[in-house]
């Protein structure tokens, strides 16, 4: 029945003269999302609306599923598109539409006509009243409710006439690519994939870096992170995942530094490496999944200590979330079941029994001097052996 979709957006609509840039970015992301969907699609803009027209047979459920993951879309409306063949013909189409879409007729409704083409012979209020009467004549068990109707029947009169009543929620946000690019520190846990998703929802293109520590972490742990990146990429588009071998750096820190400071100093070197890659790939910031007080390395003092080594801003979208709130988002986006697989990442191997919760930056700097020039060589080697995986 449906061969077209009307795409609604919210936040883009308040943009000024540059709104077309955001609309074009949204169209680009929609084309990418539908690229692997069965069928051919024509996406076009018309007077503040974006339409998706299927050319021939297509996978309806697959198209809806993919569009519902495109940031910037607030609603997906399956529409019936008809030529203007007079009001009587339109009434016949609407009556059939209600019969097809709503087998159970004991419902309330409201007609909401919008006359974008001003030469149409009836005004919007007249269409509402006349069409409502036609529906009541066809289905006496239905009733009008202008405040909270079960069915909001929308009729948009443009070059063609668009009829729809269902709005499938989209994810909202802004189209990916309109907010620059940032580097996500991605682990195999619950938090960082959610952080990447939330920053991408604001229009930011995501690259990622994962710190691998063989033989202390297995190939399964690495594959788990790739799998998480693949799930997140359904929303963000392709992710360039940098896999950094961190083993020698961890072992050297473990050998030279106080054990209660291991996590903080390792995090500082992760941030340094991530920032180096971010600058080389023209990222405008780093993203982490940290939340204040969740673990010892995420106290305010610890975050100051890790921030201190960075020149780029560090974005922490989960900073005020509790764990259950993060879990709920991970379940919604489909990363939770993968995140809880029991494959350790490098952060959980070298964990002190009593980690410092209020590190002093000056003390941390002094203990880092124990690492001498060798740590720079290890960092250089880690960067030179960066494994790039394009995940989509």
């Amino acid at each position: 029945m449906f061969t077209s979709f009307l795409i609604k957006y919210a936040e883009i609509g308040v943009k000024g003269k540059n709104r077309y840039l955001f609309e074009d970015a949204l169209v680009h992301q929609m084309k990418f999302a539908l690229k692997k969907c069965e069928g051919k699609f024509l996406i076009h803009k018309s007077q503040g609306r974006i339409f998706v027209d299927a050319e021939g047979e297509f996978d309806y459920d697959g198209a809806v599923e993919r569009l519902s993951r495109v940031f910037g879309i607030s609603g997906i409306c399956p529409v019936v598109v008809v030529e203007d063949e007079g009001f009587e013909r339109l009434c016949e189409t609407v009556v059939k539409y209600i019969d097809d879409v709503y087998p159970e007729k004991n419902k309330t409704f409201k007609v909401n006509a919008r006359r974008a083409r001003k030469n149409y012979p009836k005004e919007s209020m007249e269409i509402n009243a006349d069409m409502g009467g036609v529906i009541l004549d066809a289905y006496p068990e239905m009733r009008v409710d202008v405040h909270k109707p079960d069915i909001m029947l929308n009729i948009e009169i443009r070059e063609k006439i668009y009829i729809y009543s269902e709005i499938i929620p989209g994810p909202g946000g802004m189209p990916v690519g309109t907010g620059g690019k940032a580097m996500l520190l991605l682990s195999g846990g619950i938090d960082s994939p959610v952080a990447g998703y939330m920053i991408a929802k604001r229009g930011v293109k995501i690259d990622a870096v994962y710190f691998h520590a063989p033989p202390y972490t297995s190939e399964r742990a690495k594959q788990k992170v790739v799998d998480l990146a693949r799930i997140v990429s359904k929303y963000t588009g392709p992710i360039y995942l940098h896999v950094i071998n961190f083993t020698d750096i961890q072992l050297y820190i473990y050998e030279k530094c106080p054990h209660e400071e291991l996590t903080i100093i390792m995090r500082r070197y992760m941030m340094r490496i991530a920032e180096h890659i971010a600058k080389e790939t023209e990222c405008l910031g780093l993203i982490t999944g940290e939340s204040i007080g969740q673990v010892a390395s995420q106290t305010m003092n610890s975050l100051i200590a890790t921030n201190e080594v960075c020149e780029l801003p560090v974005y922490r979208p989960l900073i005020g979330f509790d764990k259950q709130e993060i879990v709920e988002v991970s379940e919604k986006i489909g990363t939770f079941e993968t995140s809880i697989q029991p494959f350790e990442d490098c952060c959980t191997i070298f964990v002190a029994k009593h980690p410092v919760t209020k590190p002093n930056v000056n003390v941390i700097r002094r203990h880092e001097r124990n690492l001498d020039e060798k740590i720079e060589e290890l960092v250089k080697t880690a960067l030179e052996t960066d494994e790039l995986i394009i995940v989509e």
Side-chain angles (χ1 to χ4, degrees), residues 172-202:
M174 299 294 286
V176 170
T178 59
K181 185 169 69 167
M183 181 66 65
L184 170 66
L185 279 77
L186 181 62
S187 72
I190 295 172
D191 303 337
S192 57
V194 173
Y197 165 88
M198 293 185 66
I199 290 290
K201 188 175 179 180
R202 300 308 309 153

Side-chain angles (χ1 to χ4, degrees), residues 203-227:
V204 178
K205 174 81 174 67
I206 300 296
D207 283 353
V209 57
Y210 163 60
F211 293 93
H212 192 40
Y216 301 99
T217 55
S218 66
E219 284 300 307
R220 293 292 298 275
K222 174 181 168 182
Q223 184 58 48
K224 174 183 173 182
V225 172
V226 173
D227 292 342

Side-chain angles (χ1 to χ4, degrees), residues 9-303:
Y9 52 70
E11 201 168 338
I12 294 174
V14 302
K15 297 297 179 183
K17 293 180 180 180
N18 66 343
R19 187 170 82 176
Y20 74 95
L21 296 173
F22 294 89
E23 292 176 335
D24 290 346
L26 180 56
V27 168
H28 176 77
Q29 290 300 317
M30 289 164 59
K31 287 179 178 177
F32 179 82
L34 292 172
K35 188 169 64 174
K36 294 182 180 179
C37 184
E38 182 182 335
K40 293 184 178 180
F41 302 90
L42 173 65
I43 303 175
H44 57 100
K45 299 192 296 180
S46 174
Q47 297 175 302
R49 291 283 193 266
I50 298 176
F51 294 97
V52 180
D53 298 330
E55 300 178 327
E57 294 186 2
F58 73 107
D59 179 0
Y60 174 89
D61 292 333
V64 169
E65 180 185 354
R66 285 166 173 78
L67 289 172
S68 67
R69 293 195 295 254
V70 176
F71 291 131
I73 293 178
S74 63
I76 305 157
C77 309
V79 296
V80 169
V81 185
V82 296
E83 300 289 344
D84 181 7
E85 298 175 345
F87 189 70
E88 286 189 10
R89 180 64 179 143
L90 175 60
C91 291
E92 292 173 7
T93 303
V94 168
V95 168
K96 184 177 187 307
Y97 173 92
I98 291 175
D99 196 34
D100 290 342
V101 178
Y102 301 100
E104 174 57 54
K105 301 298 188 297
N106 188 23
K107 294 181 180 293
T108 60
F109 74 95
K110 175 184 177 180
V111 179
N112 179 37
R114 179 177 179 183
R115 191 182 61 149
R117 177 159 55 84
K118 300 305 180 186
N119 63 355
Y120 193 76
K122 288 178 180 284
E123 294 184 352
S124 297
M125 294 300 292
E126 191 178 359
I127 297 170
N128 292 342
D130 292 349
M131 187 63 72
V134 169
I135 294 171
L136 289 172
D137 289 342
Y139 306 112
E141 62 270 46
M142 298 186 75
R143 304 180 311 281
V144 173
D145 183 345
V146 297
H147 299 293
K148 293 183 178 180
D150 299 324
I151 303 169
M152 176 67 78
L153 181 68
N154 296 280
I155 302 173
E156 294 203 5
I157 298 175
R158 299 171 178 271
E159 296 82 3
K160 297 182 179 181
I161 300 177
Y162 298 84
I163 304 163
Y164 65 95
S165 59
E166 182 184 11
I167 302 178
I168 302 165
M174 299 294 286
V176 170
T178 59
K181 185 169 69 167
M183 181 66 65
L184 170 66
L185 279 77
L186 181 62
S187 72
I190 295 172
D191 303 337
S192 57
V194 173
Y197 165 88
M198 293 185 66
I199 290 290
K201 188 175 179 180
R202 300 308 309 153
V204 178
K205 174 81 174 67
I206 300 296
D207 283 353
V209 57
Y210 163 60
F211 293 93
H212 192 40
Y216 301 99
T217 55
S218 66
E219 284 300 307
R220 293 292 298 275
K222 174 181 168 182
Q223 184 58 48
K224 174 183 173 182
V225 172
V226 173
D227 292 342
L228 286 170
R230 185 165 289 113
I231 296 169
V232 175
S233 75
K234 293 178 180 179
Y235 299 89
T236 66
I239 293 176
Y240 286 71
L241 175 63
H242 299 264
V243 179
I244 298 295
N245 189 323
F246 202 60
T247 308
D248 291 342
I249 295 172
Q250 281 188 294
L251 289 173
Y252 193 56
I253 293 172
Y254 188 82
E255 177 188 340
K256 294 289 186 177
C257 296
H259 283 195
E260 66 272 13
E261 296 173 359
L262 287 178
T263 303
I264 294 298
I265 294 175
M266 288 176 187
R267 287 290 292 176
R268 281 164 64 92
Y269 274 94
M270 287 179 179
M271 299 294 268
R272 288 181 173 109
I273 292 170
E275 183 177 68
H276 181 91
I277 300 171
K279 288 180 176 178
E280 284 195 337
T281 55
E282 300 182 339
C283 290
L284 302 177
L286 304 179
I287 308 165
T288 74
E290 291 159 317
S291 168
I292 291 176
Q294 186 170 198
V295 292
S297 63
Q298 296 179 23
T299 64
M300 291 287 281
N301 303 73
S302 298
L303 296 181

